[in-house]
Every structure is written in C-alpha cells, then in structure tokens.
C-alpha cells in the first residue's frame, strides 16, 4: 500500500491544533455537508456578537467595512474584482439570481446535467414554469457524472441560452474542466452559470479563465464558514442588461448617505452590490472572511494536494480488493469528495459510524470528504474499519 506524501506548504498537525482543536478524536470526513468553523472564524463571530450585545460598542467599521472585507476575500479566492462580488446567504439564492437576471428568449433552452444537486435544478425548473422556457437535463454517464461529449453536442445546437453546472459533483467528486466548457459557451453566446459550493476551498477556480457569467456558493461547506453567509460573482458586462428583480434599499446609490435616504433615485450602485438585499448577517460575514483568509493563507493548491494525498492509500486499498470506486481517479477530475460502493452499503455505514467516522451515504455510495484539517492517520483508521467490515 502506498503511503500518503507529506502535505506541501503547511503543517496539518499545527494547523489542526491552532484552528480546529474541536474536530475530535475520530475522523470527521464530511466537509461536503458541513465544514467546522476555524477558531479565528468563531472568535470573529463571537466578538461581533459581543459588540452587538454591548450595542454602544458597535462602530462604523462593523458595517460596510465588514462587508467590503468579505467581498475582497471572496474576489481573491475566485480571481475576480471585489466590485463583482455580491454577498448572498447561500447557493440557492445565487442560482435564483442567475435565473432572474439572465435572459432566455422564446425558443431557447436552459441546459444542465442530470444528477446535479437540487440547488442547481429547481431554480431552472421554476424559470421554466414561470416563463414557459424549456429546461433540459443532459443524461449523465454510467458513473453518474456529467457526460461532457453529450453536453458539447447539446450546447452546439444553437438554441441554448444558459448552461448551468456544478464545478464539483456532490455525489461523485467529479471536477469539471470549467475553462473548456466556459470557452465553448462564450464562443456560442451561451451564459455559463456555476454552482461552486463543492469546489471553493479545496479546488482552485478562476472565474475569468473559465468565462463564468454567474457563480454562486454558500460558505458552510469547504469554505469553513458560518451558515447563511455566501457570495455570488456576476460578470461585469451583465450589469447594464440585468437589473435585479428583488431590490434592496442598500443596493441604491441614493442611500449611500444614510442621512438623506428619502432622496429617492432609481440608480443602482456600481458593481454586483446591486444584487445584495438590504441587511446582511454581519457577524457571520465577518466569520466567513476569516475562514476564506485562512484557506488563502494555506493555499488552495496546497489544500488540494493534501486532501488527494491522504486519500491515495485508501484508493489503493480499495482497488486491491476490487471494490467499486465511483469517483473519477484521473488527477484533473479528482476533488476532495471520494465515493465508493461496498458490497453491503448499510453494513459499511454502520461500521463507520460505530467507529466514530463521520461520513454519509450518497446515491448508493459511501461519500468521504476530508479537508485541510484531516490527517493520513485518520484515513488509515478508516481503512482498518473497512477491513473489519469486509467491504469487498
């Protein structure tokens, strides 16, 4: 069995001791559902809430500057400009935003892959119900991943207005070639919408290189942020043609000066702030900023190398026993989500949970989702549990 290589660029044990002391003695391998808050993020949210309880201690820096710092951190994460980031509560809000602002003419289609997570399906189904447009799902391949060849054929038919895709698939970990798909869409005038919640924080993503029109994410999974704090990226060229359909009073240029808020003028703020809807969870956004900063300091490539490296021995062990591996093992398609199908899924899950391993079943497979705080020793412990459970 091969050994996991040492993590490049950071000491996982030191990071865990400093930022994740409460992760626990047993392996927490469920970042694809909920990531733990780093200590710096917990301290930031606690400190904000303490100032809120001592309300006279709230200062100007606790409002718009708190939001600005989060937009700036998010922009660094996706290689965008801060003015192109809107703070939103979750991925669903961001996908619904895309469905609201991107035009679809009569006779055009919205396209997605089958087996997408529902957050990237129901907003488009809703658009089809409301506007009478056609929404099609391209059948997945035999492993449940987007079938890139079939998708390209559909995109090339000339009648697709919007293509929506998850950067990383929730049930297999398949990591999309976003630049290839984005360029293909751009050349054909198709708007490209990306659900990034299973990618950001563990897979590098550049919205400009990938020609993304709208990207949406929540912060509570791989970004290790609080619940209800996320962001959307909106391509700048869309602003002139895509006014928000839900209008927040803080999105208007006339209300920048709080001493004159009744000087009503119908003019939006420049940039993606026009898509933000009034009061935001400042304390949680302060925490999300700290989480994103931690990941940026660690280096997203370092995070990815670490996670793939600690999973390698498990992959070798399962392959030796001819256990069905659902995840695509080509490096360019891999992510921190790793899925396999034991011969008896319920028994395997019972064994893992009895040993304290936190993971979930997804679409008939065991889904493991280690992150920056997990160690090679924890994956070794998982192998021992699986050995006893006779997964083959």
């Amino acid at each position: 069995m091969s050994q996991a290589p040492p993590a490049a660029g950071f000491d996982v044990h030191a990071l865990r001791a400093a930022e994740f002391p409460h992760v626990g003695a047993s392996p927490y391998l469920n970042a694809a559902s909920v990531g733990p808050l780093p200590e710096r993020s917990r301290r930031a949210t606690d400190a904000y809430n303490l100032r809120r309880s001592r309300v006279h201690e709230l200062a100007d820096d606790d409002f718009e500057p708190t939001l600005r710092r989060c937009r700036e951190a998010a922009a660094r994460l996706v290689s965008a400009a801060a003015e192109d980031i809107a703070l939103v509560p979750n991925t669903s809000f961001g996908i619904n935003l895309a469905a609201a602002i991107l035009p679809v003419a009569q006779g055009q289609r919205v396209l997605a892959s089958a087996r997408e997570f529902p957050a990237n399906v129901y907003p488009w189904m809703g658009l089809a119900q409301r506007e009478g447009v056609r929404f099609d799902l391209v059948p997945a391949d035999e492993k449940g991943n987007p079938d890139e060849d079939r998708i390209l054929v559909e995109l090339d038919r000339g009648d697709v207005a919007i293509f929506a895709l998850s950067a990383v698939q929730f049930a297999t970990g398949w990591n999309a070639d976003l630049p290839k798909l984005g360029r293909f869409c751009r050349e054909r005038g198709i708007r490209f919408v990306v659900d990034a919640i299973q990618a950001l924080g563990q897979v590098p993503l550049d919205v400009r290189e990938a020609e993304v029109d709208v990207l949406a994410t929540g912060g509570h999974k791989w970004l290790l942020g609080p619940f209800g704090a996320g962001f959307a990226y909106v391509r700048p060229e869309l602003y002139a043609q895509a006014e928000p359909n839900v209008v927040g009073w803080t999105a208007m240029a006339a209300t920048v000066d709080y001493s004159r808020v009744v000087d009503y003028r119908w003019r939006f703020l420049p940039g993606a702030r026009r898509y933000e809807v009034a009061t935001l969870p400042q304390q949680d956004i302060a925490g999300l900023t700290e989480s994103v900063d931690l990941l940026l300091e660690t280096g997203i490539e370092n995070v990815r190398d670490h996670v793939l490296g600690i999973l390698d021995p498990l992959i070798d062990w399962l392959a030796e026993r001819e256990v069905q591996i659902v995840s695509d093992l080509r490096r360019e398609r891999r992510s921190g989500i790793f899925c396999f199908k034991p011969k008896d899924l319920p028994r395997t899950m019972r064994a893992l949970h009895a040993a304290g391993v936190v993971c979930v079943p997804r679409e008939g497979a065991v889904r493991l989702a280690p992150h920056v705080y997990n160690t090679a020793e924890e994956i070794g412990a998982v192998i021992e549990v699986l050995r006893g459970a006779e997964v083959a």
Side-chain angles (χ1 to χ4, degrees):
M1 187 189 309
S2 65
Q3 296 299 309
F10 72 98
D11 181 334
V12 62
H13 296 285
L15 178 66
R16 180 166 170 146
E19 294 289 355
F20 303 98
H22 309 296
V23 167
S26 57
Y28 182 82
L29 303 172
N30 200 25
S33 294
V34 179
L37 278 179
E39 281 295 282
R40 65 172 69 183
S41 306
R42 182 190 61 78
R43 288 193 297 266
T45 56
D46 288 351
Y48 197 108
N49 283 327
L50 182 59
R51 293 194 299 278
R52 174 77 186 278
S53 69
R54 302 168 177 171
V55 68
H56 59 281
E57 294 183 7
L58 285 176
D60 289 345
D61 194 55
D62 286 314
F63 294 94
E64 180 50 39
T66 295
L67 306 181
R68 184 182 67 246
R69 286 190 288 271
C70 193
R71 296 187 199 101
E72 290 169 350
R76 291 195 299 274
L77 184 69
V78 299
S79 300
E83 56 266 27
D84 301 327
I85 300 295
L87 300 176
V88 301
N90 49 49
T91 309
S92 291
F93 188 101
I95 300 296
N96 275 283
L97 169 64
I101 67 175
L102 297 177
V104 183
Q106 288 297 316
Q108 289 187 310
R109 295 187 292 155
V110 177
L111 201 68
S113 175
R115 303 184 71 81
E116 279 277 344
F117 192 75
N120 197 27
V121 172
Y122 287 123
W124 306 113
M125 292 179 71
L127 178 66
Q129 293 284 332
R130 291 190 307 273
E131 305 296 333
V133 301
R134 182 175 163 187
F135 172 53
D136 288 336
L137 292 169
V138 180
D141 68 15
E142 67 279 0
K143 284 195 170 183
N145 294 319
D147 188 326
E148 190 175 89
D149 290 338
R150 293 184 71 167
I151 287 170
L152 294 177
V153 168
E154 291 297 321
L155 293 175
D156 206 28
R157 292 190 186 279
D159 62 349
V160 177
I162 300 169
F163 174 49
L165 183 72
S166 290
V168 167
Q169 293 295 310
F170 82 101
T172 65
W174 187 85
N175 183 19
D177 186 346
L178 296 181
K180 175 182 178 179
L181 293 166
R183 286 192 297 270
F184 198 85
C185 288
R186 183 68 47 205
E187 290 165 359
R188 289 154 182 80
I190 298 167
R191 295 302 184 185
F192 188 30
V193 177
V194 173
D195 174 344
I197 196 169
Q198 294 292 7
L200 293 179
Q202 59 124 345
V203 173
L205 198 161
D206 185 325
V207 291
R208 292 171 175 169
E209 179 189 17
E211 301 280 4
V212 175
D213 289 291
V214 179
L215 172 144
T217 188
H220 65 281
K221 297 181 186 285
W222 300 92
L223 289 181
L224 308 172
F227 294 114
F231 66 88
Y233 159 82
V234 181
R235 191 179 182 93
E237 70 186 50
L238 294 173
Y239 301 147
Q241 63 194 62
E243 288 191 352
N245 68 333
V246 177
V247 180
W249 67 274
T250 56
M252 309 306 290
T255 51
V256 170
D257 182 354
Y258 283 10
S259 69
R260 300 172 59 87
V261 296
V262 297
D263 291 347
Y264 312 119
R265 283 175 288 117
W266 187 256
R267 184 164 67 86
F268 290 101
L269 287 169
R273 287 176 60 189
R274 68 186 62 202
Y275 303 115
E276 295 178 357
V277 182
T279 305
L280 295 166
Q282 302 274 359
Q283 71 286 343
D284 297 323
I285 286 170
L288 178 60
T289 304
E290 293 294 331
S291 296
V292 173
D293 281 345
L294 171 63
L295 291 164
L296 289 169
E297 289 167 14
T298 306
I300 303 302
E301 286 283 5
N302 289 334
V303 174
R304 184 167 189 255
D305 288 344
H306 168 71
V307 171
L308 298 190
I310 64 173
L311 282 169
D312 282 342
L314 173 60
I315 292 170
D316 291 346
W317 188 88
L318 292 169
E320 288 169 5
R321 286 151 184 81
E322 299 183 344
V323 177
Q324 182 182 355
I325 293 173
V326 175
S327 298
D328 192 324
L329 298 182
R330 291 174 293 173
R331 180 176 173 81
E332 67 274 16
R333 295 301 193 189
R334 287 181 67 187
S335 72
I337 293 176
F338 174 68
C339 303
F340 65 93
K341 288 187 175 182
K343 65 180 181 182
D344 188 332
L345 178 62
R347 184 178 69 185
T348 301
M349 291 304 305
R350 285 195 299 271
L352 288 165
H353 289 164
V357 178
V358 181
C359 61
V360 294
R362 288 292 183 268
E363 306 302 315
V366 176
R367 186 181 77 178
L368 303 180
H371 203 350
V372 66
Y373 42 77
N374 289 115
T375 65
E377 293 82 2
E378 289 178 312
I379 301 301
V382 169
I383 292 173
E384 291 309 309
V385 174
L386 296 176
R387 192 190 309 275
E390 300 179 352
V391 299

